[in-house]
Amino acid sequence: MKKSDYRTMRWLLLLAVMLLLNACSDTDAPGDQKKERAQLELKPYASSYVEEMESDVTRTWTPPSPYVIYDNLNSKFTSQKDLMKKSISVFFTKDDEDPMEGTFFYRNSDSKWQLSMEVTAGDYYLYGFIPKEDAMSSTIAPNTTYSDGAVLTINGLQTVTPSDVCVLIGAKEGPDADHDGSDADNDDIVDDPLRPGFFKTNIKTTGVSGNNNFIYLLFDHLYASLRFRFKVDPIYAALRTIRLKKLELISYSSDTGGEVYAKFNVRITLKKTDDGSSPIVGSVVYTPDESSTSVPPVPIFEGDTKLKTDATTNFMGCFVPGDNTYFKLRSTYDVYDKNVNKDTGGNPILDEDGEPVGNLIRKDCQAENTIDLRKWFGNDLMTTRGHSYSLTITVLPTYLYVLSDPDLDNPTLTIN
């Protein structure tokens, strides 16, 4: 595939969902019919963001190309584990019937997904988005009919968020409990493959055999993202250790400041397609919620991670695309020296990398970096959904020629 093709692709997220359904059989008497809450087990897949300023994107997939395991994608952001377990808002629709809105919740206790509503066997057209947590409400209407598509409106989405906001662009039932492509019953997926623009999903009665339903969902980005690659200058790292504790992202309307509304409403028009092309009709419409305040500092990371010299530590912040190109990144970090602390037995105290822990020299230092994406990506930049804009941030000492302890302990963060 040519580079130009990659740049027009949007990031697609495939969620392989096992739906355990105890629906009514045809032989049940009407008075004996029961509906039980569906239990789900989810294994996600995804392709990479379209990386700006990079020459190629590696895309692999066990089911249909170009999807990869979602965990592999998010291994770039190991310090932001919460990105992978957000709830999914899904509308189960049928023509000439009111839609049923449900939520897929992830349960940490048993690593299972649970549906918040009851579903019986039958054909449905599935529409929805992720994450539900970022929205205040959502509505859906048929695009003529639900079998032809839908108009999905998501209200009160945060303008800046650590979450990867996506819309469902395809759904299909399928086999393969292991999601590894080894099941012989995968022939029915090959004959009628999962693809963008196909929303019809058949949920079967489980019966006495207890066979489960697997539902595969495709998602497409609604937001653009900033990818921050943190590292420490190697000379400075020989003298000090930096532990990053918090990152906050703020959006501005211009390089001189100016407020941006904290929330947006997003409308997506979806239309069934038969050739695997995107079902999104025209442009996604982003409308600011004028009743909201201006964007506050949004935490995109809170934790404790040691920055390195030989590998970047990556973080992601997502935002409403368009003319939003001005940001401020606020970093909070601790500075340690290289003295070796020992326990009561005289043994060195080691960190997560097996390296000695030094003395805390400065606690909760803060640095702010002003970001104008047009400086790096062109003066006429309009940020695009599904595109990732990567910036490398290097921690450096403030001194130039004369080493003084106060300067050494109060480093600067520079964007490369």
Side-chain angles (χ1 to χ4, degrees):
M1 183 175 292
K2 298 181 297 184
K3 177 180 176 182
S4 59
D5 294 329
Y6 284 130
R7 296 176 66 85
T8 59
M9 293 179 68
R10 299 294 184 262
W11 180 67
L12 301 177
L13 166 66
L14 171 65
L15 299 177
V17 180
M18 182 179 76
L19 177 59
L20 176 60
L21 215 98
N22 233 347
C24 309
S25 68
D26 295 337
T27 58
D28 289 336
D32 296 330
Q33 293 184 353
K34 296 180 180 179
K35 293 187 294 184
E36 296 189 9
R37 179 170 292 184
Q39 305 292 327
L40 293 99
E41 180 180 340
L42 179 147
K43 186 176 180 66
Y45 301 82
S47 67
S48 299
Y49 265 103
V50 177
E51 293 279 359
E52 290 293 340
M53 303 300 289
E54 294 191 0
S55 60
D56 59 69
V57 178
T58 301
R59 302 170 185 272
T60 59
W61 160 251
T62 299
S65 177
Y67 307 102
V68 297
I69 297 174
Y70 188 38
D71 291 7
N72 291 349
L73 175 73
N74 282 277
S75 64
K76 295 179 180 179
F77 310 104
T78 54
S79 299
Q80 294 174 281
K81 294 292 187 183
D82 59 332
L83 294 178
M84 304 186 318
K85 298 177 181 178
K86 298 292 187 178
S87 299
I88 308 165
S89 181
V90 174
F91 290 91
F92 288 75
T93 70
K94 293 185 176 184
D95 287 342
D96 303 320
E97 293 187 17
D98 291 334
M100 298 183 296
E101 183 178 8
T103 303
F104 295 153
F105 293 103
Y106 185 87
R107 293 190 311 205
N108 288 302
S109 59
D110 57 4
S111 301
K112 304 284 186 181
W113 287 77
Q114 182 170 348
L115 185 61
S116 64
M117 58 183 287
E118 297 173 339
V119 180
T120 55
D123 288 335
Y124 297 90
Y125 300 95
L126 269 56
Y127 302 96
F129 65 95
I130 185 174
K132 182 181 177 69
E133 290 89 341
D134 270 35
M136 296 180 63
S137 64
S138 59
T139 60
I140 194 169
N143 186 4
T144 308
T145 61
Y146 284 117
S147 57
D148 187 56
V151 179
L152 178 65
T153 302
I154 311 171
N155 299 307
L157 284 170
Q158 298 180 69
T159 306
V160 175
T161 174
S163 301
D164 200 353
V165 184
C166 298
V167 62
L168 195 159
I169 61 163
K172 191 183 185 299
E173 79 284 352
D176 191 8
D178 294 327
H179 311 295
D180 61 0
S182 61
D183 195 310
D185 292 336
N186 270 343
D187 289 344
D188 66 349
I189 292 184
V190 175
D191 293 339
D192 191 9
L194 171 72
R195 59 188 182 274
F198 188 90
F199 298 95
K200 186 177 181 179
T201 303
N202 178 258
I203 297 175
K204 298 179 177 64
T205 302
T206 57
V208 294
S209 65
N211 293 329
N212 300 323
N213 289 273
F214 292 87
I215 301 175
Y216 295 81
L217 305 179
L218 284 172
F219 287 86
D220 190 355
H221 280 301
L222 289 176
Y223 277 26
S225 77
L226 278 167
R227 179 181 177 185
F228 300 106
R229 299 171 172 175
F230 275 79
K231 65 178 182 178
V232 182
D233 174 76
I235 297 177
Y236 183 50
L239 303 172
R240 295 291 185 261
T241 296
I242 305 296
R243 300 196 69 93
L244 189 64
K245 299 171 65 176
K246 188 176 184 178
L247 288 176
E248 298 168 283
L249 190 62
I250 310 168
S251 179
Y252 294 100
S253 62
S254 69
D255 57 352
T256 58
E259 296 181 347
V260 174
Y261 287 110
K263 295 185 180 296
F264 271 70
N265 302 324
V266 181
R267 187 176 78 248
I268 312 102
T269 302
L270 300 160
K271 183 175 178 58
K272 173 189 173 184
T273 61
D274 297 319
D275 58 0
S277 60
S278 173
I280 298 177
V281 178
S283 300
V284 176
V285 179
Y286 304 89
T287 305
D289 180 354
E290 296 183 359
S291 66
S292 65
T293 60
S294 58
V295 173
V298 176
I300 61 173
F301 165 74
E302 292 183 88
D304 183 11
T305 185
K306 184 175 72 173
L307 302 183
K308 303 178 181 181
T309 62
D310 56 349
T312 59
T313 304
N314 301 323
F315 303 91
M316 181 175 69
C318 298
F319 59 95
V320 172
D323 58 2
N324 291 333
T325 61
Y326 303 101
F327 301 89
K328 180 179 288 184
L329 181 69
R330 181 182 297 162
S331 307
T332 303
Y333 55 93
D334 291 342
V335 182
Y336 291 79
D337 65 18
K338 291 295 184 177
N339 292 326
V340 178
N341 285 309
K342 298 181 179 180
D343 59 22
T344 55
N347 300 310
I349 300 175
L350 305 179
D351 62 18
E352 65 271 25
D353 296 321
E355 297 179 354
V357 175
N359 298 308
L360 179 60
I361 301 299
R362 289 178 61 86
K363 182 177 175 60
D364 293 336
C365 299
Q366 282 196 342
E368 292 188 346
N369 292 94
T370 300
I371 299 169
D372 178 0
L373 291 180
R374 297 181 182 183
K375 176 181 176 181
W376 285 279
F377 299 98
N379 292 330
D380 57 348
L381 174 69
M382 294 289 288
T383 53
T384 306
R385 66 182 185 89
H387 283 229
S388 177
Y389 303 86
S390 298
L391 299 171
T392 300
I393 298 178
T394 304
V395 182
L396 293 164
T398 58
Y399 64 82
L400 294 178
Y401 302 107
V402 179
L403 176 62
S404 65
D405 285 344
D407 286 338
L408 181 64
D409 298 335
N410 189 26
T412 60
L413 280 67
T414 63
I415 299 178
N416 304 101

